[in-house]
C-alpha cells in the first residue's frame, strides 16, 4: 500500500489494533471499513505506510466500536517488537534499555513522522517525550498506545516494568483515570504541556536479556535502509518535515536536518539545489505556514509566536510577517474571514 502523504505511520500500529480488537471480541474488519481502510490489504503489506489523517480517523472508529477512550492502552499489549521490523529488533538487541531509548529519537520516523520525539534528562530520570507537530492531528489514543508499547517492550527486555516512574499526558483528564493508573502502575497526570514517560535512570542501565552489540549494529543499518526507502517524497518535502520537527525545539539547522536522513550537510544541500530550493527557503516556508497556524488556531501572544518560530526579536518577526502577508500579525489575527487549518 504505497502512499505519497507527507505524514504517515507504519502499518504495524493498525495491525496491533486489529489484534487487540479481536482479543476483545470485536469485529476488526468492520472497524477498518468504517475508517476507509482495508485490513486484508494492510495484512498483506505490513511494511506499508498509512497517512496520519486515515490513522486518526481509524482511532476514532476504534473508540466508537469499543466505547473506551482508554483502548490505546490495551493495544500496547499487542504491539510486539517484531511487528516494528528492524526498529523493534534494534531495541531488543540493545545492551541496555538506556541504549534503546537513546536510539529511538534518531529513528522515530520509521514509526511515525508526525511528531517530535526527544529525551529529557535529570540525574535520576530520563523522560521520553512525544510532541505532535502543530497542524498535524494525532489521536490521543495513539499516544497512549505508544507509551504502553514502550513499557511492554521494556518489560520484555529486563523482565519488569518498574522502570516507569511517572506519566504525563496532554489529553484532558478522563472521567475515570483508573485504566491509565492500572496500566502504568505509577502516578499519571493529565492536561500537561507535553506527553512524557518518566523512567528510572539506574534501571535503564541494567543489561537486557537479548543484548547483542553485533546484532544491534546490523539492525541499526536495516533501520537506516528502511528510512531511506520508506518515502517517495522529494528532498524538499523531507526537509520540510525535518524543519517542522526541529521548530518544536526552536533550533532548526541544515546539519540536524541532514543527520535525520543519515546524510552530510553538503549532500542534503546538493539534493535541495537540484530541486531548485534551499534549506533557508524551506525554513521560511515552514515558518510562514506555522505563523498562520499559531495565529489562527491558538491564543499564543504575538511574542510567543515569534519565539516558537525561532526569531531573535519581535520586530524581526513582524517585519518578515508583513513581507509574507502585507499586514501585521495582530491585524492578520483579527481578520474575520481567515480559515483554520
Amino acid at each position: 500500500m504505497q502512499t505519497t502523504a507527507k505524514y504517515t505511520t507504519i502499518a504495524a500500529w493498525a495491525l496491533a489494533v486489529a489484534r487487540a480488537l479481536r482479543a476483545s471480541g470485536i469485529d476488526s474488519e468492520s472497524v477498518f471499513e468504517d475508517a476507509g481502510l482495508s485490513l486484508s490489504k494492510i495484512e498483506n503489506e505490513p511494511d506499508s505506510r498509512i497517512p496520519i489523517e486515515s490513522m486518526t480517523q481509524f482511532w476514532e472508529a476504534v473508540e466508537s466500536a469499543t466505547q473506551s477512550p482508554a483502548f490505546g492502552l490495551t493495544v500496547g499489549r499487542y504491539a510486539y517488537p517484531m511487528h516494528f521490523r528492524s526498529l523493534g529488533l534494534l531495541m531488543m538487541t540493545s545492551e541496555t534499555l538506556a541504549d534503546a531509548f537513546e536510539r529511538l529519537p534518531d529513528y522515530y520516523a520509521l514509526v511515525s513522522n508526525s511528531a517530535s520525539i526527544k529525551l529529557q534528562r535529570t540525574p535520576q530520570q530520563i523522560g521520553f517525550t512525544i510532541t505532535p507537530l502543530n497542524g498535524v492531528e494525532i489521536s490521543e489514543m495513539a499516544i497512549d498506545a505508544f507509551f504502553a508499547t514502550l513499557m511492554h517492550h521494556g518489560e520484555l527486555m529486563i523482565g519488569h516494568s518498574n522502570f516507569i516512574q511517572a506519566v504525563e499526558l496532554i489529553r484532558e483528564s478522563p472521567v475515570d483515570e483508573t485504566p491509565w493508573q492500572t496500566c502504568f502502575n505509577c502516578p499519571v497526570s493529565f492536561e500537561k504541556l507535553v506527553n512524557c514517560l518518566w523512567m528510572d535512570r539506574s534501571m535503564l542501565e541494567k543489561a537486557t536479556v537479548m543484548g547483542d552489540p553485533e546484532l544491534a549494529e546490523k539492525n541499526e543499518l536495516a533501520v537506516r535502509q528502511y528510512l531511506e526507502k520508506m518515502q517517495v517524497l522529494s528532498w524538499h518535502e523531507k526537509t520540510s518535515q525535518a524543519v517542522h520537527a526541529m521548530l518544536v525545539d526552536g533550533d532548526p539547522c541544515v546539519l540536524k536536518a541532514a543527520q535525520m536522513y543519515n546524510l552530510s550537510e553538503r549532500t542534503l544541500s546538493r539534493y535541495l539545489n537540484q530541486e531548485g530550493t534551499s534549506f533557508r527557503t524551506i525554513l521560511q516556508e515552514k515558518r510562514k505556514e506555522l505563523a498562520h497556524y499559531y495565529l489562527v488556531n491558538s491564543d499564543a501572544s504575538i511574542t510567543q509566536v515569534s519565539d516558537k518560530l525561532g526569531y531573535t526579536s519581535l520586530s524581526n518577526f513582524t517585519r518578515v510577517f508583513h513581507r509574507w502577508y502585507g499586514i501585521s500579525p495582530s491585524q492578520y489575527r483579527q481578520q474575520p474571514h481567515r480559515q483554520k487549518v
Side-chain angles (χ1 to χ4, degrees), residues 2-267:
Q2 297 295 324
T3 176
T4 57
K6 285 188 177 183
Y7 298 105
T8 62
T9 188
I10 191 169
W13 280 123
L15 297 177
V17 176
R19 288 188 289 274
L21 289 171
R22 289 169 183 151
S24 301
I26 297 173
D27 180 6
S28 56
E29 291 190 10
S30 64
V31 178
F32 275 74
E33 290 175 1
D34 289 344
L37 297 173
S38 168
L39 175 55
S40 60
K41 188 173 184 180
I42 293 173
E43 287 177 331
N44 289 331
E45 301 177 31
D47 287 332
S48 61
R49 311 288 300 180
I50 300 176
I52 283 298
E53 294 88 347
S54 299
M55 197 64 190
T56 299
Q57 185 177 349
F58 175 57
W59 278 113
E60 292 175 356
V62 169
E63 182 171 0
S64 177
T66 61
Q67 292 297 295
S68 171
F71 194 75
L73 303 174
T74 301
V75 172
R77 297 199 298 269
Y78 296 89
Y80 302 112
M82 65 283 292
H83 297 132
F84 294 95
R85 296 303 196 259
S86 47
L87 183 59
L89 296 176
L90 173 58
M91 279 196 69
M92 296 300 292
T93 52
S94 296
E95 290 188 86
T96 67
L97 264 181
D99 287 341
F101 283 113
E102 289 285 351
R103 284 177 162 124
L104 273 178
D106 292 333
Y107 303 122
Y108 68 87
L110 186 152
V111 177
S112 176
N113 60 0
S114 57
S116 170
I117 291 181
K118 64 178 182 178
L119 299 180
Q120 300 184 61
R121 298 174 179 84
T122 72
Q124 288 78 37
Q125 295 179 313
I126 289 181
F128 189 96
T129 68
I130 304 175
T131 307
L133 300 180
N134 288 307
V136 182
E137 184 180 358
I138 299 178
S139 170
E140 296 170 335
M141 296 175 73
I143 302 296
D144 291 343
F146 196 13
F147 278 175
T149 297
L150 290 178
M151 183 184 69
H152 176 56
H153 289 185
E155 186 174 13
L156 291 174
M157 293 170 70
I158 64 173
H160 62 79
S161 60
N162 297 335
F163 63 93
I164 305 293
Q165 293 196 325
V167 179
E168 297 177 354
L169 298 170
I170 295 174
R171 67 181 300 151
E172 293 183 1
S173 298
V175 175
D176 181 9
E177 299 180 5
T178 304
W180 287 266
Q181 306 288 353
T182 301
C183 174
F184 296 110
N185 193 31
C186 68
V188 180
S189 52
F190 301 87
E191 300 181 24
K192 308 299 287 187
L193 295 177
V194 296
N195 299 300
C196 187
L197 197 69
W198 286 103
M199 300 171 287
D200 184 301
R201 200 161 190 168
S202 63
M203 291 187 186
L204 299 186
E205 295 293 347
K206 295 181 179 179
T208 60
V209 176
M210 295 178 58
D212 187 323
E214 290 187 7
L215 277 178
E217 185 176 347
K218 292 179 181 178
N219 290 326
E220 189 163 11
L221 176 61
V223 171
R224 290 177 178 175
Q225 291 173 339
Y226 178 94
L227 287 173
E228 289 172 2
K229 295 187 300 182
M230 93 175 193
Q231 299 179 59
V232 292
L233 303 179
S234 67
W235 283 105
H236 184 149
E237 292 168 317
K238 290 180 181 180
T239 304
S240 181
Q241 290 179 0
V243 168
H244 200 153
M246 286 187 288
L247 279 171
V248 172
D249 299 320
D251 186 25
C253 69
V254 64
L255 177 59
K256 288 183 179 179
Q259 289 173 339
M260 286 186 182
Y261 295 103
N262 197 33
L263 299 174
S264 68
E265 179 178 342
R266 183 176 180 180
T267 299

